[in-house]
Amino acid sequence: KQEVTQIPAALSVPEGENLVLNCSFTDSAIYNLQWFRQDPGKGLTSLLLIQSSQREQTSGRLNASLDKSSGRSTLYIAASQPGDSATYLCAVTPLNFGNEKLTFGTGTRLTIIP
Amino acid sequence: DVKVTQSSRYLVKRTGEKVFLECVQDMDHENMFWYRQDPGLGLRLIYFSYDVKMKEKGDIPEGYSVSREKKERFSLILESASTNQTSMYLCASSFGLRGLGRNEQFFGPGTRLTVL
């Protein structure tokens, strides 16, 4: 059974710093991996989707990497801003065709200190 | 932009009431999903649907049912609400175009349900 872990559970960094969020998964048979952000009391906003055949995906100040063989993904945030404060979740789609059930990580609550 | 809307942001119901949560997406997505999110337990899939009138159980379907009569609308039904169904409910949708890499899930704003 796939398990997705995000460590640390919470992270605080000063504004302007670059930072990395981690996501680990136990079963490398994935189709893709998706990163989301969630503001308190709100729904999830899709940030990046990285296919299993890709190594990286970029959007603005965000860069997601994927190393399927080691079961790891990272989300790099450059020049952090207070508006980046949120909970970040990763989720994997299984490889078997027709199965669209995401397995979510436990999330990292990020606080950017002004 | 993909838009997924949910009928209510906040809902308060009494034990034993029948509760309907509605979700509508405007991007002609084939797949729709209902999750609940609880502190310490993360997101858990309740039900999902790959097509109109089709439904499949997720990880925690007990106490819930769903309805998908039209492609854009997916309803979650609590037949007899109980206090342990107090939670944040999130709807999501996606294209059924995995071969084209277009299976990204898009989420609605969530409904915070409190059962008294």
Side-chain angles (χ1 to χ4, degrees):
Chain A
K1 181 187 171 186
Q2 178 75 270
E3 291 184 6
V4 182
T5 304
Q6 293 180 248
I7 294 174
L11 181 65
S12 294
V13 300
E15 180 179 359
E17 284 198 4
N18 304 326
L19 61 100
V20 174
L21 304 179
N22 298 299
C23 172
S24 301
F25 46 95
T26 55
D27 185 351
S28 62
I30 66 168
Y31 180 69
N32 57 32
L33 184 145
Q34 200 168 349
W35 281 95
F36 298 90
R37 73 172 275 167
Q38 185 177 29
D39 294 292
K42 303 284 178 65
L44 277 65
T45 300
S46 179
L47 297 173
L48 288 164
L49 183 145
I50 182 164
Q51 301 292 349
S52 62
S53 57
Q54 295 176 314
R55 300 283 295 183
E56 286 191 359
Q57 232 356 307
T58 297
S59 176
R61 294 182 295 108
L62 306 180
N63 176 279
S65 70
L66 176 65
D67 184 342
K68 201 175 66 165
S69 60
S70 67
R72 297 180 66 176
S73 176
T74 61
L75 180 67
Y76 174 84
I77 302 177
S80 59
Q81 304 170 357
D84 295 329
S85 297
T87 296
Y88 290 80
L89 295 146
C90 65
V92 297
T93 302
L95 185 61
N96 50 318
F97 187 83
N99 185 350
E100 300 298 319
K101 291 169 62 174
L102 292 178
T103 301
F104 282 87
T106 46
T108 295
R109 189 173 68 251
L110 175 66
T111 302
I112 305 300
I113 304 163
Chain B
D1 278 353
V2 174
K3 191 133 190 203
V4 181
T5 57
Q6 295 182 228
S7 50
S8 305
R9 290 300 311 278
Y10 301 95
L11 209 51
V12 180
K13 296 292 182 181
R14 298 221 171 261
T15 303
E17 280 192 75
K18 190 169 186 175
V19 182
F20 293 86
L21 303 182
E22 301 247 300
C23 175
V24 177
Q25 49 91 8
D26 67 357
M27 281 301 291
D28 202 33
H29 284 172
E30 285 79 13
N31 305 326
M32 295 188 77
F33 308 82
W34 275 107
Y35 297 88
R36 65 177 282 178
Q37 185 178 32
D38 301 285
L41 296 176
L43 275 100
R44 294 178 290 169
L45 182 64
I46 305 170
Y47 266 98
F48 58 106
S49 169
Y50 289 151
D51 202 349
V52 175
K53 296 192 186 295
M54 294 185 67
K55 61 185 179 185
E56 291 197 33
K57 293 179 180 179
D59 300 318
I60 51 163
E62 297 78 19
Y64 303 95
S65 63
V66 289
S67 172
R68 194 168 181 199
E69 297 295 320
K70 293 185 177 181
K71 191 175 186 180
E72 68 271 17
R73 189 179 298 268
F74 192 34
S75 301
L76 180 70
I77 304 154
L78 287 66
E79 295 289 343
S80 177
S82 63
T83 55
N84 64 12
Q85 291 178 310
T86 292
S87 186
M88 170 71 106
Y89 290 87
L90 293 163
C91 174
S93 70
S94 70
F95 279 115
L97 296 173
R98 178 188 274 224
L100 298 177
R102 295 187 67 188
N103 68 325
E104 186 176 0
Q105 284 195 23
F106 295 90
F107 281 76
T111 296
R112 171 76 64 185
L113 173 66
T114 302
V115 183
L116 303 175

mmCIF file of all heavy atoms in Angstrom, chain A residues 19-56:
data_model
loop_
_atom_site.group_PDB
_atom_site.id
_atom_site.type_symbol
_atom_site.label_atom_id
_atom_site.label_comp_id
_atom_site.label_asym_id
_atom_site.label_seq_id
_atom_site.Cartn_x
_atom_site.Cartn_y
_atom_site.Cartn_z
ATOM 1 N N LEU A 19 13.773 27.895 0.082
ATOM 2 C CA LEU A 19 13.493 26.755 0.946
ATOM 3 C C LEU A 19 13.076 25.546 0.123
ATOM 4 O O LEU A 19 12.668 25.660 -1.044
ATOM 5 C CB LEU A 19 12.403 27.106 1.966
ATOM 6 C CG LEU A 19 11.041 27.507 1.397
ATOM 7 C CD1 LEU A 19 10.079 26.327 1.462
ATOM 8 C CD2 LEU A 19 10.470 28.696 2.135
ATOM 9 N N VAL A 20 13.180 24.384 0.765
ATOM 10 C CA VAL A 20 12.843 23.119 0.114
ATOM 11 C C VAL A 20 11.880 22.336 0.993
ATOM 12 O O VAL A 20 12.122 22.165 2.190
ATOM 13 C CB VAL A 20 14.118 22.279 -0.143
ATOM 14 C CG1 VAL A 20 13.741 20.904 -0.680
ATOM 15 C CG2 VAL A 20 15.030 23.002 -1.123
ATOM 16 N N LEU A 21 10.805 21.877 0.387
ATOM 17 C CA LEU A 21 9.857 20.992 1.064
ATOM 18 C C LEU A 21 10.030 19.584 0.495
ATOM 19 O O LEU A 21 10.239 19.422 -0.711
ATOM 20 C CB LEU A 21 8.419 21.477 0.842
ATOM 21 C CG LEU A 21 8.137 22.921 1.256
ATOM 22 C CD1 LEU A 21 6.683 23.275 0.962
ATOM 23 C CD2 LEU A 21 8.460 23.147 2.720
ATOM 24 N N ASN A 22 9.907 18.605 1.368
ATOM 25 C CA ASN A 22 10.182 17.222 0.980
ATOM 26 C C ASN A 22 8.934 16.350 0.964
ATOM 27 O O ASN A 22 8.025 16.535 1.774
ATOM 28 C CB ASN A 22 11.186 16.601 1.958
ATOM 29 C CG ASN A 22 12.503 17.310 1.934
ATOM 30 O OD1 ASN A 22 13.173 17.371 0.917
ATOM 31 N ND2 ASN A 22 12.881 17.880 3.076
ATOM 32 N N CYS A 23 8.945 15.383 0.062
ATOM 33 C CA CYS A 23 7.846 14.423 -0.073
ATOM 34 C C CYS A 23 8.470 13.064 -0.394
ATOM 35 O O CYS A 23 9.278 12.972 -1.335
ATOM 36 C CB CYS A 23 6.913 14.878 -1.186
ATOM 37 S SG CYS A 23 5.619 13.700 -1.635
ATOM 38 N N SER A 24 8.112 12.044 0.380
ATOM 39 C CA SER A 24 8.623 10.690 0.126
ATOM 40 C C SER A 24 7.463 9.740 -0.071
ATOM 41 O O SER A 24 6.431 9.866 0.601
ATOM 42 C CB SER A 24 9.453 10.205 1.323
ATOM 43 O OG SER A 24 10.528 11.060 1.568
ATOM 44 N N PHE A 25 7.641 8.777 -0.981
ATOM 45 C CA PHE A 25 6.608 7.777 -1.214
ATOM 46 C C PHE A 25 7.245 6.399 -1.265
ATOM 47 O O PHE A 25 8.401 6.245 -1.674
ATOM 48 C CB PHE A 25 5.803 8.070 -2.491
ATOM 49 C CG PHE A 25 6.631 8.419 -3.697
ATOM 50 C CD1 PHE A 25 6.996 7.453 -4.612
ATOM 51 C CD2 PHE A 25 7.028 9.734 -3.925
ATOM 52 C CE1 PHE A 25 7.748 7.770 -5.722
ATOM 53 C CE2 PHE A 25 7.777 10.069 -5.028
ATOM 54 C CZ PHE A 25 8.153 9.091 -5.927
ATOM 55 N N THR A 26 6.491 5.393 -0.832
ATOM 56 C CA THR A 26 7.072 4.068 -0.643
ATOM 57 C C THR A 26 7.022 3.196 -1.896
ATOM 58 O O THR A 26 7.858 2.309 -2.054
ATOM 59 C CB THR A 26 6.345 3.328 0.491
ATOM 60 O OG1 THR A 26 4.939 3.296 0.203
ATOM 61 C CG2 THR A 26 6.578 4.026 1.826
ATOM 62 N N ASP A 27 6.067 3.443 -2.782
ATOM 63 C CA ASP A 27 5.914 2.627 -3.987
ATOM 64 C C ASP A 27 6.263 3.478 -5.203
ATOM 65 O O ASP A 27 5.584 4.469 -5.485
ATOM 66 C CB ASP A 27 4.470 2.116 -4.081
ATOM 67 C CG ASP A 27 4.249 1.158 -5.240
ATOM 68 O OD1 ASP A 27 5.160 1.012 -6.087
ATOM 69 O OD2 ASP A 27 3.160 0.563 -5.299
ATOM 70 N N SER A 28 7.295 3.096 -5.927
ATOM 71 C CA SER A 28 7.751 3.911 -7.059
ATOM 72 C C SER A 28 6.880 3.743 -8.313
ATOM 73 O O SER A 28 7.098 4.418 -9.311
ATOM 74 C CB SER A 28 9.206 3.558 -7.402
ATOM 75 O OG SER A 28 9.296 2.208 -7.799
ATOM 76 N N ALA A 29 5.888 2.869 -8.253
ATOM 77 C CA ALA A 29 4.993 2.666 -9.408
ATOM 78 C C ALA A 29 3.943 3.776 -9.435
ATOM 79 O O ALA A 29 2.756 3.552 -9.139
ATOM 80 C CB ALA A 29 4.335 1.295 -9.326
ATOM 81 N N ILE A 30 4.384 4.964 -9.781
ATOM 82 C CA ILE A 30 3.480 6.104 -9.841
ATOM 83 C C ILE A 30 3.390 6.616 -11.262
ATOM 84 O O ILE A 30 4.318 6.454 -12.065
ATOM 85 C CB ILE A 30 3.919 7.254 -8.897
ATOM 86 C CG1 ILE A 30 5.248 7.860 -9.362
ATOM 87 C CG2 ILE A 30 4.007 6.763 -7.464
ATOM 88 C CD1 ILE A 30 5.587 9.172 -8.662
ATOM 89 N N TYR A 31 2.254 7.242 -11.572
ATOM 90 C CA TYR A 31 2.066 7.844 -12.881
ATOM 91 C C TYR A 31 2.528 9.294 -12.867
ATOM 92 O O TYR A 31 3.165 9.774 -13.794
ATOM 93 C CB TYR A 31 0.598 7.751 -13.291
ATOM 94 C CG TYR A 31 0.306 8.351 -14.642
ATOM 95 C CD1 TYR A 31 0.779 7.757 -15.804
ATOM 96 C CD2 TYR A 31 -0.438 9.527 -14.746
ATOM 97 C CE1 TYR A 31 0.519 8.317 -17.042
ATOM 98 C CE2 TYR A 31 -0.701 10.085 -15.977
ATOM 99 C CZ TYR A 31 -0.221 9.474 -17.121
ATOM 100 O OH TYR A 31 -0.473 10.024 -18.340
ATOM 101 N N ASN A 32 2.156 10.017 -11.812
ATOM 102 C CA ASN A 32 2.637 11.380 -11.647
ATOM 103 C C ASN A 32 2.522 11.797 -10.187
ATOM 104 O O ASN A 32 1.999 11.052 -9.344
ATOM 105 C CB ASN A 32 1.913 12.365 -12.569
ATOM 106 C CG ASN A 32 0.408 12.374 -12.379
ATOM 107 O OD1 ASN A 32 -0.093 12.148 -11.284
ATOM 108 N ND2 ASN A 32 -0.324 12.662 -13.453
ATOM 109 N N LEU A 33 3.011 12.967 -9.890
ATOM 110 C CA LEU A 33 2.974 13.523 -8.545
ATOM 111 C C LEU A 33 2.509 14.966 -8.645
ATOM 112 O O LEU A 33 2.939 15.707 -9.538
ATOM 113 C CB LEU A 33 4.356 13.437 -7.891
ATOM 114 C CG LEU A 33 4.496 13.889 -6.438
ATOM 115 C CD1 LEU A 33 5.530 13.029 -5.711
ATOM 116 C CD2 LEU A 33 4.848 15.352 -6.333
ATOM 117 N N GLN A 34 1.642 15.347 -7.745
ATOM 118 C CA GLN A 34 1.067 16.682 -7.779
ATOM 119 C C GLN A 34 1.367 17.388 -6.457
ATOM 120 O O GLN A 34 1.245 16.788 -5.378
ATOM 121 C CB GLN A 34 -0.455 16.563 -8.003
ATOM 122 C CG GLN A 34 -1.128 17.802 -8.523
ATOM 123 C CD GLN A 34 -2.569 17.530 -8.993
ATOM 124 O OE1 GLN A 34 -3.020 16.396 -9.124
ATOM 125 N NE2 GLN A 34 -3.287 18.602 -9.247
ATOM 126 N N TRP A 35 1.739 18.661 -6.547
ATOM 127 C CA TRP A 35 1.908 19.504 -5.366
ATOM 128 C C TRP A 35 0.741 20.490 -5.274
ATOM 129 O O TRP A 35 0.348 21.090 -6.279
ATOM 130 C CB TRP A 35 3.223 20.286 -5.441
ATOM 131 C CG TRP A 35 4.436 19.495 -5.075
ATOM 132 C CD1 TRP A 35 5.276 18.830 -5.917
ATOM 133 C CD2 TRP A 35 4.963 19.304 -3.762
ATOM 134 N NE1 TRP A 35 6.282 18.228 -5.205
ATOM 135 C CE2 TRP A 35 6.122 18.512 -3.885
ATOM 136 C CE3 TRP A 35 4.574 19.722 -2.485
ATOM 137 C CZ2 TRP A 35 6.904 18.128 -2.785
ATOM 138 C CZ3 TRP A 35 5.341 19.349 -1.395
ATOM 139 C CH2 TRP A 35 6.485 18.555 -1.543
ATOM 140 N N PHE A 36 0.225 20.645 -4.035
ATOM 141 C CA PHE A 36 -0.874 21.556 -3.764
ATOM 142 C C PHE A 36 -0.480 22.490 -2.632
ATOM 143 O O PHE A 36 0.364 22.156 -1.800
ATOM 144 C CB PHE A 36 -2.124 20.792 -3.294
ATOM 145 C CG PHE A 36 -2.696 19.825 -4.278
ATOM 146 C CD1 PHE A 36 -2.266 18.498 -4.296
ATOM 147 C CD2 PHE A 36 -3.705 20.202 -5.147
ATOM 148 C CE1 PHE A 36 -2.814 17.584 -5.179
ATOM 149 C CE2 PHE A 36 -4.260 19.288 -6.027
ATOM 150 C CZ PHE A 36 -3.814 17.977 -6.045
ATOM 151 N N ARG A 37 -1.163 23.633 -2.568
ATOM 152 C CA ARG A 37 -1.111 24.441 -1.368
ATOM 153 C C ARG A 37 -2.538 24.580 -0.834
ATOM 154 O O ARG A 37 -3.511 24.571 -1.610
ATOM 155 C CB ARG A 37 -0.477 25.811 -1.584
ATOM 156 C CG ARG A 37 -1.291 26.812 -2.340
ATOM 157 C CD ARG A 37 -0.650 28.201 -2.317
ATOM 158 N NE ARG A 37 -0.997 28.950 -1.128
ATOM 159 C CZ ARG A 37 -0.410 30.069 -0.727
ATOM 160 N NH1 ARG A 37 0.604 30.562 -1.428
ATOM 161 N NH2 ARG A 37 -0.794 30.710 0.356
ATOM 162 N N GLN A 38 -2.633 24.710 0.486
ATOM 163 C CA GLN A 38 -3.924 24.881 1.127
ATOM 164 C C GLN A 38 -3.816 25.978 2.162
ATOM 165 O O GLN A 38 -3.026 25.887 3.097
ATOM 166 C CB GLN A 38 -4.404 23.583 1.768
ATOM 167 C CG GLN A 38 -5.810 23.678 2.339
ATOM 168 C CD GLN A 38 -6.328 22.371 2.909
ATOM 169 O OE1 GLN A 38 -5.559 21.535 3.383
ATOM 170 N NE2 GLN A 38 -7.641 22.161 2.852
ATOM 171 N N ASP A 39 -4.621 27.021 1.993
ATOM 172 C CA ASP A 39 -4.706 28.074 2.987
ATOM 173 C C ASP A 39 -5.713 27.649 4.057
ATOM 174 O O ASP A 39 -6.621 26.849 3.783
ATOM 175 C CB ASP A 39 -5.127 29.381 2.317
ATOM 176 C CG ASP A 39 -4.054 29.874 1.363
ATOM 177 O OD1 ASP A 39 -2.985 30.259 1.877
ATOM 178 O OD2 ASP A 39 -4.266 29.848 0.144
ATOM 179 N N PRO A 40 -5.579 28.175 5.269
ATOM 180 C CA PRO A 40 -6.446 27.722 6.374
ATOM 181 C C PRO A 40 -7.928 27.817 6.038
ATOM 182 O O PRO A 40 -8.408 28.861 5.583
ATOM 183 C CB PRO A 40 -6.061 28.674 7.515
ATOM 184 C CG PRO A 40 -4.659 29.081 7.211
ATOM 185 C CD PRO A 40 -4.576 29.164 5.721
ATOM 186 N N GLY A 41 -8.642 26.731 6.227
ATOM 187 C CA GLY A 41 -10.080 26.704 6.005
ATOM 188 C C GLY A 41 -10.502 26.730 4.546
ATOM 189 O O GLY A 41 -11.684 26.909 4.247
ATOM 190 N N LYS A 42 -9.555 26.561 3.641
ATOM 191 C CA LYS A 42 -9.864 26.642 2.213
ATOM 192 C C LYS A 42 -9.601 25.307 1.512
ATOM 193 O O LYS A 42 -9.085 24.362 2.117
ATOM 194 C CB LYS A 42 -8.986 27.729 1.560
ATOM 195 C CG LYS A 42 -9.124 29.108 2.175
ATOM 196 C CD LYS A 42 -10.406 29.765 1.754
ATOM 197 C CE LYS A 42 -10.593 31.138 2.387
ATOM 198 N NZ LYS A 42 -9.578 32.107 1.944
ATOM 199 N N GLY A 43 -9.941 25.280 0.228
ATOM 200 C CA GLY A 43 -9.661 24.098 -0.572
ATOM 201 C C GLY A 43 -8.209 24.052 -1.006
ATOM 202 O O GLY A 43 -7.399 24.884 -0.609
ATOM 203 N N LEU A 44 -7.893 23.048 -1.818
ATOM 204 C CA LEU A 44 -6.533 22.876 -2.313
ATOM 205 C C LEU A 44 -6.358 23.576 -3.651
ATOM 206 O O LEU A 44 -7.237 23.512 -4.516
ATOM 207 C CB LEU A 44 -6.221 21.390 -2.504
ATOM 208 C CG LEU A 44 -5.776 20.598 -1.292
ATOM 209 C CD1 LEU A 44 -6.875 20.494 -0.251
ATOM 210 C CD2 LEU A 44 -5.323 19.197 -1.708
ATOM 211 N N THR A 45 -5.202 24.214 -3.808
ATOM 212 C CA THR A 45 -4.856 24.846 -5.079
ATOM 213 C C THR A 45 -3.716 24.063 -5.700
ATOM 214 O O THR A 45 -2.679 23.858 -5.063
ATOM 215 C CB THR A 45 -4.421 26.300 -4.869
ATOM 216 O OG1 THR A 45 -5.499 27.021 -4.264
ATOM 217 C CG2 THR A 45 -4.053 26.953 -6.190
ATOM 218 N N SER A 46 -3.918 23.604 -6.927
ATOM 219 C CA SER A 46 -2.875 22.855 -7.614
ATOM 220 C C SER A 46 -1.726 23.779 -7.994
ATOM 221 O O SER A 46 -1.939 24.853 -8.551
ATOM 222 C CB SER A 46 -3.451 22.208 -8.877
ATOM 223 O OG SER A 46 -2.452 21.500 -9.561
ATOM 224 N N LEU A 47 -0.500 23.367 -7.643
ATOM 225 C CA LEU A 47 0.685 24.174 -7.951
ATOM 226 C C LEU A 47 1.435 23.617 -9.159
ATOM 227 O O LEU A 47 1.729 24.330 -10.108
ATOM 228 C CB LEU A 47 1.625 24.203 -6.746
ATOM 229 C CG LEU A 47 1.084 24.858 -5.477
ATOM 230 C CD1 LEU A 47 2.054 24.665 -4.327
ATOM 231 C CD2 LEU A 47 0.823 26.344 -5.705
ATOM 232 N N LEU A 48 1.784 22.363 -9.082
ATOM 233 C CA LEU A 48 2.580 21.734 -10.127
ATOM 234 C C LEU A 48 2.206 20.261 -10.221
ATOM 235 O O LEU A 48 1.915 19.636 -9.209
ATOM 236 C CB LEU A 48 4.083 21.836 -9.818
ATOM 237 C CG LEU A 48 4.737 23.208 -9.947
ATOM 238 C CD1 LEU A 48 6.091 23.227 -9.252
ATOM 239 C CD2 LEU A 48 4.907 23.573 -11.417
ATOM 240 N N LEU A 49 2.250 19.748 -11.440
ATOM 241 C CA LEU A 49 2.094 18.316 -11.668
ATOM 242 C C LEU A 49 3.325 17.865 -12.430
ATOM 243 O O LEU A 49 3.693 18.469 -13.433
ATOM 244 C CB LEU A 49 0.828 18.022 -12.458
ATOM 245 C CG LEU A 49 0.523 16.539 -12.700
ATOM 246 C CD1 LEU A 49 -0.967 16.278 -12.676
ATOM 247 C CD2 LEU A 49 1.112 16.084 -14.025
ATOM 248 N N ILE A 50 3.971 16.827 -11.930
ATOM 249 C CA ILE A 50 5.185 16.326 -12.567
ATOM 250 C C ILE A 50 4.965 14.860 -12.946
ATOM 251 O O ILE A 50 4.592 14.036 -12.105
ATOM 252 C CB ILE A 50 6.411 16.563 -11.657
ATOM 253 C CG1 ILE A 50 7.691 16.095 -12.324
ATOM 254 C CG2 ILE A 50 6.241 15.949 -10.282
ATOM 255 C CD1 ILE A 50 8.944 16.650 -11.644
ATOM 256 N N GLN A 51 5.150 14.571 -14.212
ATOM 257 C CA GLN A 51 4.948 13.212 -14.706
ATOM 258 C C GLN A 51 6.112 12.325 -14.268
ATOM 259 O O GLN A 51 7.214 12.806 -14.020
ATOM 260 C CB GLN A 51 4.856 13.209 -16.235
ATOM 261 C CG GLN A 51 3.742 14.050 -16.804
ATOM 262 C CD GLN A 51 2.367 13.506 -16.486
ATOM 263 O OE1 GLN A 51 2.201 12.377 -16.001
ATOM 264 N NE2 GLN A 51 1.347 14.313 -16.727
ATOM 265 N N SER A 52 5.870 11.024 -14.200
ATOM 266 C CA SER A 52 6.910 10.103 -13.746
ATOM 267 C C SER A 52 8.116 10.085 -14.680
ATOM 268 O O SER A 52 9.223 9.742 -14.264
ATOM 269 C CB SER A 52 6.344 8.687 -13.602
ATOM 270 O OG SER A 52 5.897 8.217 -14.847
ATOM 271 N N SER A 53 7.906 10.484 -15.928
ATOM 272 C CA SER A 53 9.007 10.509 -16.897
ATOM 273 C C SER A 53 9.807 11.808 -16.821
ATOM 274 O O SER A 53 10.851 11.942 -17.471
ATOM 275 C CB SER A 53 8.459 10.348 -18.323
ATOM 276 O OG SER A 53 7.521 11.372 -18.586
ATOM 277 N N GLN A 54 9.326 12.763 -16.042
ATOM 278 C CA GLN A 54 10.000 14.057 -15.931
ATOM 279 C C GLN A 54 10.870 14.091 -14.680
ATOM 280 O O GLN A 54 10.625 13.385 -13.707
ATOM 281 C CB GLN A 54 8.958 15.179 -15.862
ATOM 282 C CG GLN A 54 8.122 15.323 -17.124
ATOM 283 C CD GLN A 54 7.050 16.379 -16.978
ATOM 284 O OE1 GLN A 54 6.342 16.418 -15.968
ATOM 285 N NE2 GLN A 54 6.919 17.230 -17.973
ATOM 286 N N ARG A 55 11.861 14.981 -14.735
ATOM 287 C CA ARG A 55 12.722 15.181 -13.564
ATOM 288 C C ARG A 55 12.346 16.445 -12.814
ATOM 289 O O ARG A 55 12.530 16.538 -11.600
ATOM 290 C CB ARG A 55 14.176 15.290 -14.015
ATOM 291 C CG ARG A 55 14.687 14.082 -14.728
ATOM 292 C CD ARG A 55 15.000 12.950 -13.788
ATOM 293 N NE ARG A 55 16.098 13.261 -12.892
ATOM 294 C CZ ARG A 55 16.594 12.401 -12.001
ATOM 295 N NH1 ARG A 55 16.092 11.198 -11.912
ATOM 296 N NH2 ARG A 55 17.580 12.742 -11.208
ATOM 297 N N GLU A 56 11.818 17.451 -13.584
ATOM 298 C CA GLU A 56 11.530 18.753 -12.992
ATOM 299 C C GLU A 56 10.334 19.399 -13.657
ATOM 300 O O GLU A 56 10.014 19.120 -14.818
ATOM 301 C CB GLU A 56 12.705 19.720 -13.213
ATOM 302 C CG GLU A 56 13.910 19.500 -12.396
ATOM 303 C CD GLU A 56 14.877 20.664 -12.515
ATOM 304 O OE1 GLU A 56 14.608 21.627 -13.252
ATOM 305 O OE2 GLU A 56 15.907 20.583 -11.853
#
